[in-house]
Every structure is written in C-alpha cells, then in structure tokens.
Amino acid sequence: IDQNLATFGDRFPAPSSVGGVYAAIDNIEWTNGFWTGMLGVAYEVTGDRHYLNAAQSHVVSFKRRVESKVNVDHHDLGFLYTLSCVSACKLTGSDIARETALQAAELLLCRYLPAAGIVQAWGDLSDPTQRGRMIIDCNLNLPLLYWATEVTGELRFRQAADTHIARAAAHIVRSDASTFHTFYMDAETGEPLHGKTDQGYSDNSCWARGQAWGIYGFPLV
C-alpha cells in the first residue's frame, strides 16, 4: 500500500492490469472504492494517519462523482460508496462522507424494481429488453442500503435489500449450491425467467468469482 500510495496519489488503480501493471485512472470505474477501502483498513490496523488522510482525500472525489453522475447507472454504487464514504463516516464522523453515501444509496434504490423485487444490476431501466437483471455481485452492494436505514431510520432501503437477497437465494443459487452469474426476472410480473452468464464459461457453469460473491455476500447480508 505504501508503494502504491506514491504511484496513485489521488487517482485509482484501473480495474485490470496490462502487462502486470495497474494504470492510474480517474474516478470513473466500478472498482475505485476498493483502493480507498484498503487505505481505511490500513489505518484501522496500524493507527497511522497517513492512510486515513489519503482515504479522506478520496471523499471529495466520490462526492464530485455522485453529484456529476459519472458512471453511476449500475448497482456497483455499493462497492464504490460503502468502501469509501461509509467507511470515512464511520472512522471520522464526516458529514460530507455521510451525505455523499446517502446520495449514492438513493441512486442505488432507484434501481429497485418493486414487482420483480430486485435491484437491477446494470442496463437502461427504461429499456424493456434490459429490465429485470440481477447478478450475484449485487450481494456485496446491498450493505449500502442497510447502512442507509441504520443512519436515517427509513425502512425503504432495508426492505428493498431484504427482498432482493431473498430473490437471489431463491433463483441465483442452484440446487447443487453453485450459482448463476445472472438471473432474469419479469420486471412487470415478478415471474422468474432464466439464469445465464455474462462472466464465466457458460450459462450452466459456475463462475469462480461469482461463487465467491455468494459465499461472502449471503452471510454478510
């Protein structure tokens, strides 16, 4: 982390490496919260404030991102804002971090489809051909909604998360305890449709990272 602090500064590692190197990018990708989260954990483990100072400097970037709506039309708002602004709020009591994380929670809740009972992963909510998609990754994004209920007392965040995780348990998890990457629900009727993969070998295979999201995400929720 110390070596990477010098490399990235106020920027972030790209989602994937090229030639074993993660390029420094602006706050535009779904993985950016992971780096900020690592800084927060480093501070908790060591008590060294230079990690905390670096993590706090990212809060302004995440505030600007949610206000300008830079690549936020997806469920990975949880990855982005739980690990950055919720963490900063818990560690320092920052009002800016709290309000920014609540803005993100509101955006995430906008992706909740009441009839289907799911938070749509990605895709244009106004496009009927894309509506009704949940993916196993969303398990790790739901904590943002639970936190929002904790700090506001508004149950609508938690209720959406509770319903989504129940649908995921019922439809994403197969009878042999492997998981689909993606499952489609009818957004108007709530009827379960079919499982498939956008990441993994085939619709019937088990994508390793997705299985890890399930193993971690269900007990976390």
Side-chain angles (χ1 to χ4, degrees):
I1 289 176
D2 287 333
Q3 291 173 344
N4 282 317
L5 267 174
T7 300
F8 296 114
D10 289 334
R11 303 183 79 199
F12 302 85
S16 55
S17 61
V18 176
V21 176
Y22 289 86
I25 62 170
D26 292 332
N27 197 348
I28 57 173
E29 274 289 355
W30 71 277
T31 52
N32 289 24
F34 298 149
W35 171 234
T36 309
M38 289 170 66
L39 295 170
V41 171
Y43 167 69
E44 289 188 279
V45 169
T46 66
D48 191 327
R49 289 194 64 88
H50 85 277
Y51 300 118
L52 180 62
N53 293 339
Q56 285 183 290
S57 74
H58 291 180
V59 170
V60 175
S61 174
F62 280 99
K63 181 177 187 292
R64 187 183 310 116
R65 177 170 179 173
V66 75
E67 289 178 345
S68 301
K69 293 186 169 53
V70 176
N71 191 15
V72 292
D73 294 328
H74 50 70
H75 70 155
D76 290 324
L77 288 157
F79 282 134
L80 291 168
Y81 285 88
T82 300
L83 304 181
S84 60
C85 293
V86 171
S87 292
C89 180
K90 290 181 176 181
L91 288 171
T92 70
S94 166
D95 288 335
I96 293 175
R98 179 183 186 277
E99 293 309 312
T100 301
L102 286 174
Q103 283 182 270
E106 291 283 3
L107 275 181
L108 182 57
L109 191 61
C110 286
R111 303 194 65 78
Y112 180 68
L113 307 176
I118 64 166
V119 175
Q120 179 159 317
W122 69 83
D124 185 346
L125 292 173
S126 65
D127 182 347
T129 66
Q130 298 190 54
R131 281 168 60 83
R133 176 199 285 119
M134 64 172 164
I135 68 175
I136 188 66
D137 312 43
C138 198
N139 286 18
L140 274 294
N141 288 296
L142 297 176
L144 179 62
L145 298 178
Y146 287 110
W147 172 84
T149 286
E150 288 175 14
V151 299
T152 66
E154 296 184 31
L155 294 178
R156 58 196 174 96
F157 299 102
R158 177 175 182 162
Q159 288 165 347
D162 282 347
T163 306
H164 179 102
I165 202 69
R167 296 289 190 276
H171 302 300
I172 281 185
V173 182
R174 303 184 182 110
S175 60
D176 65 354
S178 69
T179 51
F180 289 111
H181 169 244
T182 304
F183 198 91
Y184 282 90
M185 309 284 290
D186 187 303
E188 308 306 326
T189 68
E191 177 187 0
L193 299 176
H194 60 273
K196 69 182 300 293
T197 191
D198 286 283
Q199 294 174 278
Y201 177 71
S202 70
D203 290 346
N204 294 319
S205 70
C206 182
W207 177 47
R209 178 154 51 113
Q211 189 75 357
W213 292 142
I215 291 168
Y216 184 10
F218 282 112
L220 177 67
V221 169

